[in-house]
Amino acid sequence: MKLGILISGRGSNMLAIAEAIENGTIPNAEIAVVISDKPSAQGLIKAQEKGLETLAIPRNGRTREEHDAEIVSELKKRGVELVCLAGYMRLLSKDFIRGFPNKIINIHPSLLPSFKGLDAQKQAFEYGVYFTGCTVHFVDEELDHGAIIAQKVVEVKDEDTAETLSHRILEQEHQLYIEAIAKIVKGNYEFIGRKVRF
Ligand code: GRF
């Protein structure tokens, strides 16, 4: 299965996916392209060092629809079958989502539906929860809302700061995203309402 990965920054999840494909943890998959809306994204350099094709597609004052249309066209041109958002900081247009029905997934650093949106780790830390974590989910037209594929719990410790907590969540994200992609690529799943059953 050909994957397209969308990033905006550091790209550590992208790298974890690339390494999992390399070492066989995600079988039968290849990364066709890594696209960033931010030309300065660190993740683009990391992807190039892995020998992956990269594209920077900045918004450049265009509407969301125009910008997304270019990204979709680049993904389709390369035969991408699964789009993995990995720290991609823009909402997708309806046309983008409809162009890849149930074929766009995202990782979010909280146990959804708690703490949607930006700075989810800090939101959880400041709220005072004892447990938070990360979620891989299908992307639909609402923010951080699509059907949940997998989740991992991370305990908030007394000595944590928002930063130490984010770091431990990120370690789990890398594991979870790989496990989730391997399952999706394998394809043995069905939707029961908004639930995904493997
Ligand atoms: C991760 O915490 C991810 O859950 C969130 O954005 C961050 C991206 O980190 N959506 P990286 O670019 O993969 O290192």
Side-chain angles (χ1 to χ4, degrees):
M1 183 180 281
K2 290 192 174 184
L3 313 188
I5 305 186
L6 266 55
I7 63 169
S8 296
R10 183 175 54 189
S12 70
N13 278 288
M14 177 278 304
L15 201 60
I17 298 165
E19 284 169 358
I21 290 175
E22 254 175 28
N23 69 26
T25 313
I26 304 178
N28 305 316
E30 65 177 284
I31 297 174
V33 66
V34 175
I35 298 178
S36 174
D37 62 319
K38 299 267 183 280
S40 61
Q42 279 298 308
L44 284 177
I45 299 165
K46 293 178 188 162
Q48 284 155 12
E49 285 168 359
K50 279 273 164 212
L52 299 171
E53 188 189 354
T54 61
L55 285 177
I57 308 184
R59 181 175 168 199
N60 282 345
R62 291 174 291 180
T63 63
R64 186 180 306 284
E65 286 69 26
E66 289 163 349
H67 181 218
D68 280 4
E70 185 182 350
I71 297 173
V72 167
S73 140
E74 295 297 343
L75 294 168
K76 296 272 183 198
K77 221 187 267 178
R78 291 167 180 79
V80 166
E81 299 158 275
L82 180 68
V83 180
C84 305
L85 308 184
Y88 185 65
M89 299 307 284
R90 289 181 58 76
L91 289 174
L92 304 188
S93 60
K94 287 185 171 40
D95 284 349
F96 192 147
I97 293 165
R98 288 173 192 167
F100 289 93
N102 290 329
K103 293 293 178 203
I104 309 175
I105 61 177
N106 181 44
I107 182 139
H108 183 77
S110 75
L111 294 175
L112 289 174
S114 291
F115 311 119
K116 295 179 178 183
L118 290 177
D119 292 328
Q121 308 93 324
K122 190 158 170 263
Q123 289 184 52
F125 182 75
E126 286 176 355
Y127 193 93
V129 293
Y130 291 104
F131 297 96
T132 181
C134 46
T135 303
V136 177
H137 64 94
F138 284 103
V139 172
D140 67 10
E141 291 174 18
E142 267 180 64
L143 177 69
D144 299 328
H145 172 269
I148 290 174
I149 300 165
Q151 294 187 301
K152 254 190 176 137
V153 174
V154 174
E155 187 173 1
V156 183
K157 298 185 176 163
D158 288 344
E159 62 273 22
D160 262 331
T161 61
E163 288 69 35
T164 58
L165 178 61
S166 299
H167 179 78
R168 285 209 318 290
I169 295 173
L170 189 65
E171 288 174 349
Q172 296 306 314
E173 286 184 42
H174 296 163
Q175 286 304 315
L176 187 72
Y177 216 177
I178 291 165
E179 289 166 19
I181 291 172
K183 284 193 199 172
I184 297 291
V185 168
K186 208 169 170 200
N188 291 335
Y189 62 92
E190 55 174 347
F191 287 91
I192 302 168
R194 53 164 286 129
K195 293 187 183 157
V196 186
R197 284 291 168 260
F198 290 92

Coordinates of all heavy atoms in Angstrom, one line a residue, residues 85-140:
L85 N -1.7 11.7 8.5 CA -1.4 13.1 9.0 C -0.5 12.8 10.2 O -0.8 12.1 11.1 CB -2.6 13.8 9.4 CG -3.7 13.9 8.4 CD1 -4.9 14.8 8.9 CD2 -3.2 14.5 7.0
A86 N 0.7 13.5 10.2 CA 1.6 13.3 11.3 C 2.2 14.7 11.7 O 3.2 15.2 11.2 CB 2.8 12.4 10.9
G87 N 1.3 15.4 12.6 CA 1.7 16.7 12.9 C 1.4 17.7 11.8 O 2.1 18.7 11.7
Y88 N 0.4 17.4 11.0 CA 0.0 18.4 10.0 C -1.0 19.4 10.6 O -2.0 19.0 11.1 CB -0.7 17.6 8.8 CG -1.0 18.5 7.6 CD1 0.0 19.1 6.9 CD2 -2.3 18.7 7.2 CE1 -0.3 19.9 5.8 CE2 -2.6 19.5 6.1 CZ -1.6 20.1 5.4 OH -1.9 20.9 4.3
M89 N -0.6 20.6 10.6 CA -1.3 21.6 11.4 C -2.4 22.4 10.7 O -2.8 23.4 11.2 CB -0.3 22.6 12.0 CG 0.8 22.0 12.8 SD 0.1 20.9 14.2 CE -0.4 22.2 15.3
R90 N -2.9 21.8 9.6 CA -4.0 22.5 8.9 C -5.2 21.6 8.9 O -5.1 20.3 8.7 CB -3.6 22.9 7.5 CG -2.6 24.1 7.5 CD -2.3 24.4 6.0 NE -3.5 24.8 5.3 CZ -4.1 26.0 5.3 NH1 -3.7 26.9 6.2 NH2 -5.2 26.2 4.6
L91 N -6.4 22.2 8.9 CA -7.7 21.4 8.7 C -7.8 21.0 7.3 O -7.4 21.8 6.4 CB -8.9 22.2 9.1 CG -9.0 22.5 10.6 CD1 -10.2 23.5 10.9 CD2 -9.3 21.2 11.4
L92 N -8.3 19.9 7.0 CA -8.5 19.5 5.6 C -9.9 19.9 5.1 O -10.9 19.9 5.8 CB -8.4 18.0 5.4 CG -7.1 17.3 5.9 CD1 -7.1 15.8 5.5 CD2 -5.9 18.0 5.4
S93 N -9.9 20.3 3.8 CA -11.2 20.7 3.2 C -12.1 19.5 3.0 O -11.6 18.4 2.9 CB -11.0 21.4 1.9 OG -10.3 20.5 1.0
K94 N -13.4 19.7 2.8 CA -14.3 18.6 2.5 C -13.9 17.8 1.3 O -14.0 16.6 1.2 CB -15.7 19.2 2.3 CG -16.4 19.7 3.5 CD -17.8 20.1 3.2 CE -18.7 20.5 4.4 NZ -18.1 21.2 5.5
D95 N -13.4 18.6 0.3 CA -13.0 17.9 -1.0 C -11.9 17.0 -0.8 O -11.8 15.9 -1.4 CB -12.7 18.9 -2.1 CG -13.9 19.5 -2.7 OD1 -15.0 19.0 -2.4 OD2 -13.8 20.5 -3.4
F96 N -10.9 17.4 0.1 CA -9.8 16.5 0.4 C -10.3 15.2 1.0 O -10.0 14.1 0.6 CB -8.8 17.3 1.3 CG -7.4 16.6 1.5 CD1 -6.3 17.4 1.6 CD2 -7.3 15.2 1.5 CE1 -5.1 16.8 1.8 CE2 -6.0 14.6 1.6 CZ -4.9 15.4 1.8
I97 N -11.1 15.4 2.0 CA -11.6 14.2 2.8 C -12.4 13.3 1.9 O -12.3 12.1 1.9 CB -12.4 14.7 4.0 CG1 -11.4 15.4 5.0 CG2 -13.1 13.5 4.7 CD1 -12.1 16.2 6.1
R98 N -13.2 13.9 1.0 CA -14.1 13.1 0.1 C -13.2 12.4 -1.0 O -13.6 11.4 -1.5 CB -15.2 14.0 -0.5 CG -16.2 14.3 0.5 CD -17.2 15.3 0.0 NE -18.0 15.8 1.2 CZ -18.8 16.8 1.1 NH1 -19.0 17.5 0.0 NH2 -19.5 17.2 2.2
G99 N -12.1 13.0 -1.3 CA -11.2 12.4 -2.3 C -10.5 11.1 -1.8 O -10.0 10.3 -2.6
F100 N -10.5 10.9 -0.4 CA -9.9 9.7 0.2 C -10.8 9.2 1.2 O -10.5 9.3 2.4 CB -8.5 10.1 0.8 CG -7.4 10.4 -0.2 CD1 -7.2 11.7 -0.6 CD2 -6.7 9.4 -0.8 CE1 -6.2 12.0 -1.5 CE2 -5.7 9.6 -1.7 CZ -5.4 10.9 -2.1
P101 N -12.0 8.7 0.8 CA -13.0 8.3 1.8 C -12.4 7.1 2.8 O -12.0 6.1 2.3 CB -14.2 7.8 1.0 CG -13.7 7.8 -0.4 CD -12.4 8.4 -0.5
N102 N -12.4 7.4 4.0 CA -11.9 6.5 5.1 C -10.5 6.0 4.8 O -10.1 4.9 5.2 CB -12.8 5.2 5.2 CG -14.1 5.6 5.8 OD1 -14.2 6.5 6.6 ND2 -15.2 4.9 5.4
K103 N -9.7 6.9 4.1 CA -8.3 6.6 3.8 C -7.4 7.7 4.3 O -6.3 7.9 3.8 CB -8.1 6.4 2.3 CG -8.9 5.2 1.8 CD -8.3 3.9 2.3 CE -9.0 2.7 1.8 NZ -8.8 1.5 2.6
I104 N -7.9 8.5 5.3 CA -7.0 9.5 5.9 C -7.0 9.2 7.4 O -8.1 9.1 8.0 CB -7.5 10.9 5.7 CG1 -7.8 11.2 4.2 CG2 -6.5 12.0 6.2 CD1 -8.4 12.5 3.8
I105 N -5.8 9.1 8.0 CA -5.8 8.9 9.4 C -4.9 9.9 10.1 O -4.1 10.6 9.4 CB -5.3 7.5 9.8 CG1 -3.9 7.2 9.2 CG2 -6.3 6.4 9.2 CD1 -3.4 5.8 9.6
N106 N -5.1 10.1 11.4 CA -4.4 11.2 12.1 C -3.9 10.6 13.5 O -4.6 9.7 14.0 CB -5.3 12.4 12.3 CG -4.6 13.5 13.1 OD1 -3.4 13.9 12.8 ND2 -5.3 14.1 14.0
I107 N -2.9 11.2 14.1 CA -2.5 10.9 15.4 C -2.7 12.2 16.3 O -2.3 13.3 15.8 CB -1.1 10.3 15.6 CG1 -0.8 10.0 17.1 CG2 0.0 11.3 15.0 CD1 -0.1 8.7 17.3
H108 N -3.4 12.0 17.4 CA -3.6 13.1 18.3 C -3.1 12.8 19.7 O -3.4 11.7 20.2 CB -5.1 13.4 18.3 CG -5.5 14.6 19.1 ND1 -5.3 15.9 18.7 CD2 -5.9 14.7 20.4 CE1 -5.6 16.8 19.6 NE2 -6.0 16.1 20.7
P109 N -2.4 13.8 20.4 CA -1.8 13.5 21.6 C -2.7 13.6 22.9 O -2.4 14.3 23.8 CB -0.6 14.5 21.7 CG -1.1 15.6 20.9 CD -2.0 15.1 19.8
S110 N -3.9 13.0 22.8 CA -4.7 12.9 24.0 C -5.7 11.7 23.8 O -5.7 11.1 22.7 CB -5.6 14.1 24.2 OG -6.7 14.2 23.3
L111 N -6.4 11.3 24.8 CA -7.4 10.3 24.7 C -8.7 11.0 24.2 O -9.4 11.5 25.0 CB -7.6 9.6 26.0 CG -6.4 8.8 26.5 CD1 -6.7 8.2 27.9 CD2 -6.1 7.6 25.6
L112 N -8.9 10.9 22.9 CA -10.1 11.6 22.4 C -11.4 10.9 22.9 O -11.3 9.6 23.1 CB -10.1 11.5 20.8 CG -9.0 12.5 20.2 CD1 -9.0 12.3 18.7 CD2 -9.3 14.0 20.5
P113 N -12.5 11.5 23.1 CA -12.7 12.9 22.7 C -12.3 14.0 23.7 O -12.7 15.1 23.5 CB -14.3 12.9 22.6 CG -14.7 12.0 23.6 CD -13.7 10.9 23.7
S114 N -11.5 13.6 24.7 CA -11.0 14.7 25.6 C -9.9 15.5 24.9 O -9.0 14.9 24.2 CB -10.4 14.1 26.8 OG -11.4 13.6 27.6
F115 N -9.8 16.8 25.1 CA -8.7 17.6 24.7 C -8.4 17.6 23.2 O -7.3 17.3 22.8 CB -7.4 17.3 25.6 CG -7.7 17.2 27.0 CD1 -7.5 16.0 27.7 CD2 -8.2 18.3 27.7 CE1 -7.8 15.9 29.1 CE2 -8.5 18.2 29.1 CZ -8.3 17.0 29.8
K116 N -9.4 18.0 22.5 CA -9.2 18.2 21.0 C -8.4 19.4 20.8 O -8.3 20.3 21.6 CB -10.6 18.3 20.4 CG -11.4 17.1 20.5 CD -12.8 17.3 19.8 CE -13.6 16.0 20.0 NZ -14.9 16.0 19.3
G117 N -7.9 19.6 19.6 CA -7.3 20.8 19.1 C -5.9 20.9 19.6 O -5.2 19.9 19.8
L118 N -5.4 22.2 19.6 CA -4.0 22.4 19.8 C -3.6 22.2 21.3 O -4.4 22.3 22.2 CB -3.6 23.9 19.5 CG -3.7 24.3 18.0 CD1 -3.5 25.8 17.9 CD2 -2.7 23.5 17.2
D119 N -2.3 21.9 21.5 CA -1.7 21.7 22.8 C -2.5 20.8 23.7 O -2.7 21.1 24.9 CB -1.6 23.1 23.5 CG -0.5 24.0 22.8 OD1 0.4 23.4 22.3 OD2 -0.8 25.2 22.8
A120 N -2.8 19.6 23.1 CA -3.6 18.7 23.9 C -3.0 18.2 25.2 O -3.6 17.9 26.2 CB -4.0 17.5 23.0
Q121 N -1.6 18.0 25.1 CA -0.9 17.5 26.3 C -1.0 18.6 27.4 O -1.2 18.2 28.6 CB 0.6 17.3 25.9 CG 0.8 16.4 24.7 CD 1.0 17.2 23.4 OE1 0.4 18.3 23.2 NE2 1.9 16.7 22.6
K122 N -0.8 19.8 27.0 CA -0.9 20.9 28.0 C -2.3 21.1 28.6 O -2.5 21.3 29.8 CB -0.4 22.2 27.3 CG -0.2 23.4 28.3 CD 0.7 24.4 27.6 CE 0.8 25.7 28.4 NZ -0.1 26.7 27.9
Q123 N -3.3 20.9 27.7 CA -4.7 21.0 28.1 C -4.9 19.9 29.2 O -5.5 20.2 30.2 CB -5.6 20.7 27.0 CG -5.7 21.8 25.9 CD -6.8 21.3 24.9 OE1 -7.9 21.0 25.3 NE2 -6.5 21.3 23.6
A124 N -4.4 18.7 28.9 CA -4.7 17.6 29.9 C -3.9 17.8 31.2 O -4.4 17.7 32.3 CB -4.2 16.3 29.2
F125 N -2.7 18.3 31.0 CA -1.8 18.6 32.2 C -2.5 19.6 33.1 O -2.7 19.5 34.3 CB -0.5 19.1 31.8 CG 0.5 19.3 32.9 CD1 1.1 18.3 33.6 CD2 0.8 20.6 33.3 CE1 1.9 18.5 34.7 CE2 1.6 20.9 34.4 CZ 2.2 19.8 35.1
E126 N -3.0 20.7 32.5 CA -3.6 21.8 33.3 C -4.9 21.4 33.8 O -5.3 21.9 34.9 CB -3.7 23.1 32.4 CG -2.3 23.7 32.2 CD -2.2 24.9 31.3 OE1 -3.2 25.2 30.7 OE2 -1.1 25.4 31.2
Y127 N -5.6 20.5 33.2 CA -6.9 20.1 33.7 C -6.8 19.3 34.9 O -7.6 19.3 35.8 CB -7.7 19.3 32.6 CG -9.1 19.1 32.9 CD1 -10.1 19.9 32.4 CD2 -9.5 18.0 33.7 CE1 -11.4 19.7 32.6 CE2 -10.9 17.8 34.0 CZ -11.8 18.7 33.4 OH -13.1 18.5 33.7
G128 N -5.6 18.6 35.0 CA -5.4 17.8 36.2 C -5.8 16.3 36.1 O -6.1 15.7 37.1
V129 N -5.9 15.8 34.9 CA -6.3 14.4 34.8 C -5.1 13.5 35.3 O -4.0 13.9 35.3 CB -6.6 14.0 33.3 CG1 -7.8 14.7 32.8 CG2 -5.4 14.3 32.4
Y130 N -5.5 12.3 35.7 CA -4.5 11.3 36.2 C -3.9 10.5 35.0 O -2.9 10.0 35.0 CB -5.1 10.4 37.2 CG -5.4 11.0 38.5 CD1 -6.7 11.3 38.9 CD2 -4.3 11.3 39.4 CE1 -7.0 11.9 40.1 CE2 -4.6 11.9 40.6 CZ -5.9 12.2 41.0 OH -6.2 12.8 42.1
F131 N -4.8 10.4 34.0 CA -4.4 9.6 32.8 C -4.7 10.4 31.5 O -5.8 11.0 31.4 CB -5.1 8.3 32.7 CG -4.8 7.4 33.9 CD1 -5.6 7.3 35.0 CD2 -3.6 6.6 33.8 CE1 -5.3 6.5 36.0 CE2 -3.3 5.8 34.9 CZ -4.2 5.7 36.0
T132 N -3.8 10.4 30.6 CA -4.1 10.9 29.3 C -3.5 9.9 28.3 O -3.4 8.7 28.6 CB -3.6 12.4 29.1 OG1 -3.9 12.8 27.8 CG2 -2.1 12.5 29.3
G133 N -3.0 10.3 27.1 CA -2.5 9.4 26.1 C -2.5 9.9 24.7 O -2.3 11.1 24.5
C134 N -2.7 9.0 23.8 CA -2.8 9.3 22.4 C -3.8 8.5 21.6 O -4.1 7.4 22.1 CB -1.4 9.3 21.8 SG -0.5 7.8 22.1
T135 N -4.2 9.0 20.5 CA -5.3 8.4 19.7 C -5.0 8.4 18.3 O -4.6 9.5 17.8 CB -6.6 9.1 19.9 OG1 -6.9 9.2 21.3 CG2 -7.8 8.5 19.2
V136 N -5.1 7.3 17.6 CA -5.1 7.3 16.1 C -6.5 7.1 15.6 O -7.3 6.3 16.1 CB -4.2 6.2 15.5 CG1 -4.3 6.2 14.0 CG2 -2.8 6.3 16.0
H137 N -6.9 8.0 14.7 CA -8.3 8.0 14.3 C -8.5 8.3 12.8 O -7.6 8.9 12.2 CB -9.2 9.0 15.1 CG -8.8 10.4 14.9 ND1 -9.4 11.2 14.0 CD2 -7.8 11.2 15.5 CE1 -8.8 12.4 14.1 NE2 -7.8 12.4 14.9
F138 N -9.6 7.9 12.2 CA -9.9 8.3 10.8 C -10.2 9.8 10.9 O -10.8 10.3 11.9 CB -11.0 7.5 10.3 CG -10.6 6.1 9.9 CD1 -10.9 5.0 10.6 CD2 -9.9 5.9 8.7 CE1 -10.6 3.7 10.3 CE2 -9.5 4.6 8.3 CZ -9.8 3.5 9.1
V139 N -10.0 10.5 9.8 CA -10.3 11.9 9.7 C -11.6 12.1 9.0 O -11.8 11.5 7.9 CB -9.1 12.6 8.9 CG1 -9.5 14.1 8.7 CG2 -7.8 12.5 9.7
D140 N -12.5 12.8 9.7 CA -13.7 13.2 9.0 C -13.8 14.7 9.0 O -12.8 15.4 9.3 CB -15.0 12.5 9.7 CG -15.2 13.0 11.1 OD1 -14.6 13.9 11.5 OD2 -16.1 12.3 11.8

